[in-house]
PDB file of all heavy atoms in Angstrom:
ATOM      1  N   GLY A   1      -2.662  51.283 -21.508  1.00 65.00           N
ATOM      2  CA  GLY A   1      -3.166  51.946 -20.323  1.00 65.00           C
ATOM      3  C   GLY A   1      -3.350  51.013 -19.152  1.00 65.00           C
ATOM      4  O   GLY A   1      -3.672  51.441 -18.059  1.00 65.00           O
ATOM      5  N   GLN A   2      -3.203  49.730 -19.358  1.00 66.00           N
ATOM      6  CA  GLN A   2      -3.217  48.672 -18.356  1.00 66.00           C
ATOM      7  C   GLN A   2      -4.593  48.392 -17.783  1.00 66.00           C
ATOM      8  O   GLN A   2      -4.742  47.531 -16.931  1.00 66.00           O
ATOM      9  CB  GLN A   2      -2.219  48.969 -17.229  1.00 66.00           C
ATOM     10  CG  GLN A   2      -0.813  49.110 -17.743  1.00 66.00           C
ATOM     11  CD  GLN A   2       0.165  49.504 -16.655  1.00 66.00           C
ATOM     12  OE1 GLN A   2      -0.208  49.892 -15.561  1.00 66.00           O
ATOM     13  NE2 GLN A   2       1.438  49.412 -16.976  1.00 66.00           N
ATOM     14  N   GLY A   3      -5.621  49.088 -18.234  1.00 65.00           N
ATOM     15  CA  GLY A   3      -6.963  48.889 -17.708  1.00 65.00           C
ATOM     16  C   GLY A   3      -7.547  47.528 -18.025  1.00 65.00           C
ATOM     17  O   GLY A   3      -8.434  47.047 -17.328  1.00 65.00           O
ATOM     18  N   SER A   4      -7.048  46.882 -19.071  1.00 69.00           N
ATOM     19  CA  SER A   4      -7.553  45.563 -19.444  1.00 69.00           C
ATOM     20  C   SER A   4      -6.768  44.438 -18.789  1.00 69.00           C
ATOM     21  O   SER A   4      -7.110  43.277 -18.940  1.00 69.00           O
ATOM     22  CB  SER A   4      -7.495  45.393 -20.965  1.00 69.00           C
ATOM     23  OG  SER A   4      -8.343  46.342 -21.578  1.00 69.00           O
ATOM     24  N   GLY A   5      -5.697  44.780 -18.076  1.00 77.00           N
ATOM     25  CA  GLY A   5      -4.905  43.768 -17.398  1.00 77.00           C
ATOM     26  C   GLY A   5      -4.056  42.964 -18.355  1.00 77.00           C
ATOM     27  O   GLY A   5      -3.821  43.357 -19.492  1.00 77.00           O
ATOM     28  N   ALA A   6      -3.610  41.810 -17.882  1.00 86.00           N
ATOM     29  CA  ALA A   6      -2.784  40.903 -18.669  1.00 86.00           C
ATOM     30  C   ALA A   6      -3.069  39.489 -18.191  1.00 86.00           C
ATOM     31  O   ALA A   6      -3.595  39.289 -17.098  1.00 86.00           O
ATOM     32  CB  ALA A   6      -1.301  41.229 -18.491  1.00 86.00           C
ATOM     33  N   ALA A   7      -2.730  38.527 -19.021  1.00 90.00           N
ATOM     34  CA  ALA A   7      -2.888  37.129 -18.607  1.00 90.00           C
ATOM     35  C   ALA A   7      -1.984  36.862 -17.410  1.00 90.00           C
ATOM     36  O   ALA A   7      -0.840  37.313 -17.366  1.00 90.00           O
ATOM     37  CB  ALA A   7      -2.524  36.203 -19.761  1.00 90.00           C
ATOM     38  N   ALA A   8      -2.514  36.142 -16.423  1.00 92.00           N
ATOM     39  CA  ALA A   8      -1.738  35.821 -15.228  1.00 92.00           C
ATOM     40  C   ALA A   8      -0.590  34.887 -15.571  1.00 92.00           C
ATOM     41  O   ALA A   8      -0.715  34.005 -16.420  1.00 92.00           O
ATOM     42  CB  ALA A   8      -2.638  35.180 -14.182  1.00 92.00           C
ATOM     43  N   THR A   9       0.534  35.097 -14.903  1.00 92.00           N
ATOM     44  CA  THR A   9       1.672  34.193 -15.021  1.00 92.00           C
ATOM     45  C   THR A   9       1.834  33.461 -13.695  1.00 92.00           C
ATOM     46  O   THR A   9       1.253  33.846 -12.673  1.00 92.00           O
ATOM     47  CB  THR A   9       2.970  34.957 -15.348  1.00 92.00           C
ATOM     48  OG1 THR A   9       3.242  35.886 -14.296  1.00 92.00           O
ATOM     49  CG2 THR A   9       2.852  35.705 -16.672  1.00 92.00           C
ATOM     50  N   GLN A  10       2.610  32.396 -13.703  1.00 94.00           N
ATOM     51  CA  GLN A  10       2.845  31.611 -12.494  1.00 94.00           C
ATOM     52  C   GLN A  10       3.269  32.532 -11.354  1.00 94.00           C
ATOM     53  O   GLN A  10       4.172  33.335 -11.505  1.00 94.00           O
ATOM     54  CB  GLN A  10       3.935  30.560 -12.759  1.00 94.00           C
ATOM     55  CG  GLN A  10       4.103  29.564 -11.645  1.00 94.00           C
ATOM     56  CD  GLN A  10       2.896  28.655 -11.496  1.00 94.00           C
ATOM     57  OE1 GLN A  10       2.289  28.243 -12.468  1.00 94.00           O
ATOM     58  NE2 GLN A  10       2.544  28.354 -10.261  1.00 94.00           N
ATOM     59  N   GLY A  11       2.565  32.429 -10.215  1.00 93.00           N
ATOM     60  CA  GLY A  11       2.911  33.210  -9.035  1.00 93.00           C
ATOM     61  C   GLY A  11       2.151  34.506  -8.863  1.00 93.00           C
ATOM     62  O   GLY A  11       2.224  35.125  -7.804  1.00 93.00           O
ATOM     63  N   ASP A  12       1.406  34.961  -9.885  1.00 93.00           N
ATOM     64  CA  ASP A  12       0.645  36.213  -9.767  1.00 93.00           C
ATOM     65  C   ASP A  12      -0.481  36.090  -8.754  1.00 93.00           C
ATOM     66  O   ASP A  12      -1.064  35.024  -8.572  1.00 93.00           O
ATOM     67  CB  ASP A  12      -0.012  36.582 -11.114  1.00 93.00           C
ATOM     68  CG  ASP A  12       0.895  37.350 -12.041  1.00 93.00           C
ATOM     69  OD1 ASP A  12       1.839  37.995 -11.561  1.00 93.00           O
ATOM     70  OD2 ASP A  12       0.641  37.324 -13.265  1.00 93.00           O
ATOM     71  N   ALA A  13      -0.821  37.204  -8.134  1.00 93.00           N
ATOM     72  CA  ALA A  13      -2.064  37.298  -7.376  1.00 93.00           C
ATOM     73  C   ALA A  13      -3.130  37.756  -8.374  1.00 93.00           C
ATOM     74  O   ALA A  13      -2.896  38.658  -9.172  1.00 93.00           O
ATOM     75  CB  ALA A  13      -1.929  38.304  -6.248  1.00 93.00           C
ATOM     76  N   THR A  14      -4.275  37.112  -8.360  1.00 91.00           N
ATOM     77  CA  THR A  14      -5.393  37.483  -9.235  1.00 91.00           C
ATOM     78  C   THR A  14      -6.647  37.630  -8.376  1.00 91.00           C
ATOM     79  O   THR A  14      -6.597  37.450  -7.162  1.00 91.00           O
ATOM     80  CB  THR A  14      -5.639  36.404 -10.315  1.00 91.00           C
ATOM     81  OG1 THR A  14      -6.160  35.226  -9.678  1.00 91.00           O
ATOM     82  CG2 THR A  14      -4.369  36.064 -11.085  1.00 91.00           C
ATOM     83  N   TRP A  15      -7.764  37.923  -9.010  1.00 91.00           N
ATOM     84  CA  TRP A  15      -9.019  38.030  -8.274  1.00 91.00           C
ATOM     85  C   TRP A  15      -9.349  36.721  -7.551  1.00 91.00           C
ATOM     86  O   TRP A  15      -9.822  36.716  -6.428  1.00 91.00           O
ATOM     87  CB  TRP A  15     -10.151  38.409  -9.228  1.00 91.00           C
ATOM     88  CG  TRP A  15     -11.444  38.639  -8.517  1.00 91.00           C
ATOM     89  CD1 TRP A  15     -12.482  37.757  -8.372  1.00 91.00           C
ATOM     90  CD2 TRP A  15     -11.829  39.806  -7.793  1.00 91.00           C
ATOM     91  NE1 TRP A  15     -13.486  38.301  -7.634  1.00 91.00           N
ATOM     92  CE2 TRP A  15     -13.112  39.578  -7.255  1.00 91.00           C
ATOM     93  CE3 TRP A  15     -11.226  41.036  -7.545  1.00 91.00           C
ATOM     94  CZ2 TRP A  15     -13.796  40.515  -6.494  1.00 91.00           C
ATOM     95  CZ3 TRP A  15     -11.905  41.969  -6.802  1.00 91.00           C
ATOM     96  CH2 TRP A  15     -13.180  41.693  -6.283  1.00 91.00           C
ATOM     97  N   MET A  16      -9.044  35.598  -8.177  1.00 95.00           N
ATOM     98  CA  MET A  16      -9.366  34.290  -7.604  1.00 95.00           C
ATOM     99  C   MET A  16      -8.188  33.627  -6.875  1.00 95.00           C
ATOM    100  O   MET A  16      -8.396  32.815  -5.989  1.00 95.00           O
ATOM    101  CB  MET A  16      -9.855  33.333  -8.705  1.00 95.00           C
ATOM    102  CG  MET A  16     -11.129  33.796  -9.396  1.00 95.00           C
ATOM    103  SD  MET A  16     -12.527  34.003  -8.270  1.00 95.00           S
ATOM    104  CE  MET A  16     -12.742  32.355  -7.686  1.00 95.00           C
ATOM    105  N   HIS A  17      -6.978  33.955  -7.273  1.00 95.00           N
ATOM    106  CA  HIS A  17      -5.791  33.265  -6.755  1.00 95.00           C
ATOM    107  C   HIS A  17      -4.945  34.166  -5.855  1.00 95.00           C
ATOM    108  O   HIS A  17      -4.606  35.285  -6.250  1.00 95.00           O
ATOM    109  CB  HIS A  17      -4.883  32.805  -7.899  1.00 95.00           C
ATOM    110  CG  HIS A  17      -5.466  31.718  -8.726  1.00 95.00           C
ATOM    111  ND1 HIS A  17      -6.212  31.951  -9.845  1.00 95.00           N
ATOM    112  CD2 HIS A  17      -5.397  30.375  -8.583  1.00 95.00           C
ATOM    113  CE1 HIS A  17      -6.588  30.793 -10.376  1.00 95.00           C
ATOM    114  NE2 HIS A  17      -6.108  29.823  -9.619  1.00 95.00           N
ATOM    115  N   ALA A  18      -4.557  33.628  -4.700  1.00 95.00           N
ATOM    116  CA  ALA A  18      -3.523  34.285  -3.900  1.00 95.00           C
ATOM    117  C   ALA A  18      -2.185  34.108  -4.620  1.00 95.00           C
ATOM    118  O   ALA A  18      -1.368  35.031  -4.673  1.00 95.00           O
ATOM    119  CB  ALA A  18      -3.455  33.691  -2.499  1.00 95.00           C
ATOM    120  N   ILE A  19      -1.988  32.919  -5.171  1.00 95.00           N
ATOM    121  CA  ILE A  19      -0.809  32.610  -5.984  1.00 95.00           C
ATOM    122  C   ILE A  19      -1.287  31.775  -7.165  1.00 95.00           C
ATOM    123  O   ILE A  19      -1.714  30.631  -6.995  1.00 95.00           O
ATOM    124  CB  ILE A  19       0.260  31.851  -5.168  1.00 95.00           C
ATOM    125  CG1 ILE A  19       0.705  32.717  -3.978  1.00 95.00           C
ATOM    126  CG2 ILE A  19       1.433  31.459  -6.048  1.00 95.00           C
ATOM    127  CD1 ILE A  19       1.657  32.033  -3.018  1.00 95.00           C
ATOM    128  N   PHE A  20      -1.243  32.358  -8.370  1.00 95.00           N
ATOM    129  CA  PHE A  20      -1.711  31.685  -9.577  1.00 95.00           C
ATOM    130  C   PHE A  20      -0.764  30.537  -9.896  1.00 95.00           C
ATOM    131  O   PHE A  20       0.440  30.702  -9.860  1.00 95.00           O
ATOM    132  CB  PHE A  20      -1.757  32.681 -10.734  1.00 95.00           C
ATOM    133  CG  PHE A  20      -2.313  32.117 -12.008  1.00 95.00           C
ATOM    134  CD1 PHE A  20      -3.672  31.997 -12.175  1.00 95.00           C
ATOM    135  CD2 PHE A  20      -1.472  31.698 -13.011  1.00 95.00           C
ATOM    136  CE1 PHE A  20      -4.196  31.476 -13.346  1.00 95.00           C
ATOM    137  CE2 PHE A  20      -1.976  31.171 -14.181  1.00 95.00           C
ATOM    138  CZ  PHE A  20      -3.344  31.065 -14.351  1.00 95.00           C
ATOM    139  N   ASP A  21      -1.157  29.440 -10.224  1.00 91.00           N
ATOM    140  CA  ASP A  21      -2.475  28.862 -10.314  1.00 91.00           C
ATOM    141  C   ASP A  21      -2.635  27.715  -9.324  1.00 91.00           C
ATOM    142  O   ASP A  21      -3.277  26.726  -9.593  1.00 91.00           O
ATOM    143  CB  ASP A  21      -2.773  28.427 -11.725  1.00 91.00           C
ATOM    144  CG  ASP A  21      -1.869  27.280 -12.217  1.00 91.00           C
ATOM    145  OD1 ASP A  21      -0.858  26.987 -11.574  1.00 91.00           O
ATOM    146  OD2 ASP A  21      -2.171  26.684 -13.233  1.00 91.00           O
ATOM    147  N   THR A  22      -2.026  27.916  -8.141  1.00 94.00           N
ATOM    148  CA  THR A  22      -2.038  26.823  -7.164  1.00 94.00           C
ATOM    149  C   THR A  22      -2.787  27.137  -5.872  1.00 94.00           C
ATOM    150  O   THR A  22      -3.246  26.219  -5.212  1.00 94.00           O
ATOM    151  CB  THR A  22      -0.596  26.421  -6.794  1.00 94.00           C
ATOM    152  OG1 THR A  22       0.078  27.562  -6.250  1.00 94.00           O
ATOM    153  CG2 THR A  22       0.168  25.908  -8.005  1.00 94.00           C
ATOM    154  N   GLN A  23      -2.892  28.405  -5.495  1.00 96.00           N
ATOM    155  CA  GLN A  23      -3.531  28.748  -4.217  1.00 96.00           C
ATOM    156  C   GLN A  23      -4.651  29.767  -4.443  1.00 96.00           C
ATOM    157  O   GLN A  23      -4.396  30.861  -4.947  1.00 96.00           O
ATOM    158  CB  GLN A  23      -2.512  29.320  -3.239  1.00 96.00           C
ATOM    159  CG  GLN A  23      -1.434  28.330  -2.851  1.00 96.00           C
ATOM    160  CD  GLN A  23      -0.429  28.943  -1.900  1.00 96.00           C
ATOM    161  OE1 GLN A  23      -0.738  29.848  -1.148  1.00 96.00           O
ATOM    162  NE2 GLN A  23       0.799  28.432  -1.946  1.00 96.00           N
ATOM    163  N   PHE A  24      -5.860  29.404  -4.026  1.00 96.00           N
ATOM    164  CA  PHE A  24      -7.005  30.293  -4.175  1.00 96.00           C
ATOM    165  C   PHE A  24      -7.195  31.140  -2.928  1.00 96.00           C
ATOM    166  O   PHE A  24      -6.875  30.715  -1.820  1.00 96.00           O
ATOM    167  CB  PHE A  24      -8.294  29.474  -4.413  1.00 96.00           C
ATOM    168  CG  PHE A  24      -8.369  28.871  -5.778  1.00 96.00           C
ATOM    169  CD1 PHE A  24      -7.885  27.586  -6.015  1.00 96.00           C
ATOM    170  CD2 PHE A  24      -8.931  29.578  -6.831  1.00 96.00           C
ATOM    171  CE1 PHE A  24      -7.944  27.029  -7.268  1.00 96.00           C
ATOM    172  CE2 PHE A  24      -8.996  29.025  -8.101  1.00 96.00           C
ATOM    173  CZ  PHE A  24      -8.508  27.742  -8.320  1.00 96.00           C
ATOM    174  N   TRP A  25      -7.747  32.346  -3.125  1.00 96.00           N
ATOM    175  CA  TRP A  25      -8.236  33.136  -2.002  1.00 96.00           C
ATOM    176  C   TRP A  25      -9.466  32.425  -1.434  1.00 96.00           C
ATOM    177  O   TRP A  25     -10.178  31.735  -2.151  1.00 96.00           O
ATOM    178  CB  TRP A  25      -8.677  34.534  -2.450  1.00 96.00           C
ATOM    179  CG  TRP A  25      -7.609  35.427  -2.986  1.00 96.00           C
ATOM    180  CD1 TRP A  25      -7.480  35.854  -4.274  1.00 96.00           C
ATOM    181  CD2 TRP A  25      -6.551  36.056  -2.261  1.00 96.00           C
ATOM    182  NE1 TRP A  25      -6.407  36.699  -4.399  1.00 96.00           N
ATOM    183  CE2 TRP A  25      -5.810  36.844  -3.174  1.00 96.00           C
ATOM    184  CE3 TRP A  25      -6.146  36.028  -0.927  1.00 96.00           C
ATOM    185  CZ2 TRP A  25      -4.709  37.588  -2.785  1.00 96.00           C
ATOM    186  CZ3 TRP A  25      -5.038  36.776  -0.546  1.00 96.00           C
ATOM    187  CH2 TRP A  25      -4.334  37.546  -1.464  1.00 96.00           C
ATOM    188  N   THR A  26      -9.750  32.640  -0.171  1.00 96.00           N
ATOM    189  CA  THR A  26     -10.982  32.118   0.424  1.00 96.00           C
ATOM    190  C   THR A  26     -12.184  32.847  -0.164  1.00 96.00           C
ATOM    191  O   THR A  26     -13.228  32.256  -0.402  1.00 96.00           O
ATOM    192  CB  THR A  26     -10.951  32.298   1.955  1.00 96.00           C
ATOM    193  OG1 THR A  26      -9.784  31.650   2.455  1.00 96.00           O
ATOM    194  CG2 THR A  26     -12.182  31.699   2.603  1.00 96.00           C
ATOM    195  N   GLN A  27     -12.028  34.147  -0.416  1.00 93.00           N
ATOM    196  CA  GLN A  27     -13.084  34.956  -1.044  1.00 93.00           C
ATOM    197  C   GLN A  27     -12.486  35.693  -2.232  1.00 93.00           C
ATOM    198  O   GLN A  27     -11.332  36.100  -2.194  1.00 93.00           O
ATOM    199  CB  GLN A  27     -13.684  35.953  -0.044  1.00 93.00           C
ATOM    200  CG  GLN A  27     -12.672  36.952   0.491  1.00 93.00           C
ATOM    201  CD  GLN A  27     -13.276  37.875   1.540  1.00 93.00           C
ATOM    202  OE1 GLN A  27     -14.325  37.607   2.092  1.00 93.00           O
ATOM    203  NE2 GLN A  27     -12.603  38.975   1.809  1.00 93.00           N
ATOM    204  N   GLY A  28     -13.251  35.859  -3.291  1.00 92.00           N
ATOM    205  CA  GLY A  28     -12.763  36.564  -4.474  1.00 92.00           C
ATOM    206  C   GLY A  28     -12.282  37.963  -4.129  1.00 92.00           C
ATOM    207  O   GLY A  28     -12.929  38.681  -3.375  1.00 92.00           O
ATOM    208  N   GLY A  29     -11.131  38.347  -4.656  1.00 92.00           N
ATOM    209  CA  GLY A  29     -10.577  39.675  -4.422  1.00 92.00           C
ATOM    210  C   GLY A  29      -9.556  39.724  -3.304  1.00 92.00           C
ATOM    211  O   GLY A  29      -8.843  40.702  -3.160  1.00 92.00           O
ATOM    212  N   GLY A  30      -9.494  38.675  -2.496  1.00 94.00           N
ATOM    213  CA  GLY A  30      -8.469  38.625  -1.454  1.00 94.00           C
ATOM    214  C   GLY A  30      -9.041  38.379  -0.083  1.00 94.00           C
ATOM    215  O   GLY A  30     -10.199  38.666   0.188  1.00 94.00           O
ATOM    216  N   ASP A  31      -8.210  37.847   0.776  1.00 96.00           N
ATOM    217  CA  ASP A  31      -8.584  37.584   2.165  1.00 96.00           C
ATOM    218  C   ASP A  31      -8.038  38.720   3.016  1.00 96.00           C
ATOM    219  O   ASP A  31      -6.848  38.767   3.318  1.00 96.00           O
ATOM    220  CB  ASP A  31      -8.002  36.249   2.632  1.00 96.00           C
ATOM    221  CG  ASP A  31      -8.516  35.073   1.814  1.00 96.00           C
ATOM    222  OD1 ASP A  31      -9.519  35.241   1.103  1.00 96.00           O
ATOM    223  OD2 ASP A  31      -7.904  33.997   1.898  1.00 96.00           O
ATOM    224  N   PHE A  32      -8.923  39.646   3.368  1.00 97.00           N
ATOM    225  CA  PHE A  32      -8.492  40.812   4.123  1.00 97.00           C
ATOM    226  C   PHE A  32      -9.523  41.177   5.175  1.00 97.00           C
ATOM    227  O   PHE A  32     -10.669  40.734   5.123  1.00 97.00           O
ATOM    228  CB  PHE A  32      -8.214  42.004   3.200  1.00 97.00           C
ATOM    229  CG  PHE A  32      -9.334  42.347   2.266  1.00 97.00           C
ATOM    230  CD1 PHE A  32     -10.394  43.153   2.673  1.00 97.00           C
ATOM    231  CD2 PHE A  32      -9.320  41.886   0.950  1.00 97.00           C
ATOM    232  CE1 PHE A  32     -11.424  43.484   1.805  1.00 97.00           C
ATOM    233  CE2 PHE A  32     -10.347  42.214   0.078  1.00 97.00           C
ATOM    234  CZ  PHE A  32     -11.396  43.011   0.502  1.00 97.00           C
ATOM    235  N   ALA A  33      -9.095  41.977   6.150  1.00 97.00           N
ATOM    236  CA  ALA A  33      -9.969  42.414   7.238  1.00 97.00           C
ATOM    237  C   ALA A  33     -11.169  43.171   6.673  1.00 97.00           C
ATOM    238  O   ALA A  33     -11.032  43.975   5.751  1.00 97.00           O
ATOM    239  CB  ALA A  33      -9.193  43.296   8.205  1.00 97.00           C
ATOM    240  N   ALA A  34     -12.338  42.906   7.229  1.00 96.00           N
ATOM    241  CA  ALA A  34     -13.563  43.574   6.763  1.00 96.00           C
ATOM    242  C   ALA A  34     -13.526  45.073   7.031  1.00 96.00           C
ATOM    243  O   ALA A  34     -13.968  45.870   6.193  1.00 96.00           O
ATOM    244  CB  ALA A  34     -14.780  42.955   7.441  1.00 96.00           C
ATOM    245  N   ASN A  35     -12.987  45.468   8.172  1.00 97.00           N
ATOM    246  CA  ASN A  35     -12.921  46.893   8.509  1.00 97.00           C
ATOM    247  C   ASN A  35     -11.676  47.522   7.917  1.00 97.00           C
ATOM    248  O   ASN A  35     -10.576  46.975   8.032  1.00 97.00           O
ATOM    249  CB  ASN A  35     -12.916  47.088  10.029  1.00 97.00           C
ATOM    250  CG  ASN A  35     -14.228  46.650  10.647  1.00 97.00           C
ATOM    251  OD1 ASN A  35     -15.290  46.771  10.048  1.00 97.00           O
ATOM    252  ND2 ASN A  35     -14.152  46.127  11.864  1.00 97.00           N
TER     253      ASN A  35
END
């Protein structure tokens, strides 16, 4: 059902990573407009 997700692979976007496992988001969940 995909609700549990999967282990991240190289290049995935995750809650912490813009690009796993080399680039982090500034804020968890992504860097996006507040509005």
Side-chain angles (χ1 to χ4, degrees):
Q2 301 176 348
S4 297
T9 60
Q10 189 67 38
D12 275 336
T14 69
W15 184 262
M16 298 301 297
H17 291 91
I19 300 174
F20 184 80
D21 65 347
T22 59
Q23 296 179 28
F24 287 92
W25 295 112
T26 303
Q27 61 183 17
D31 299 344
F32 53 84
N35 294 327

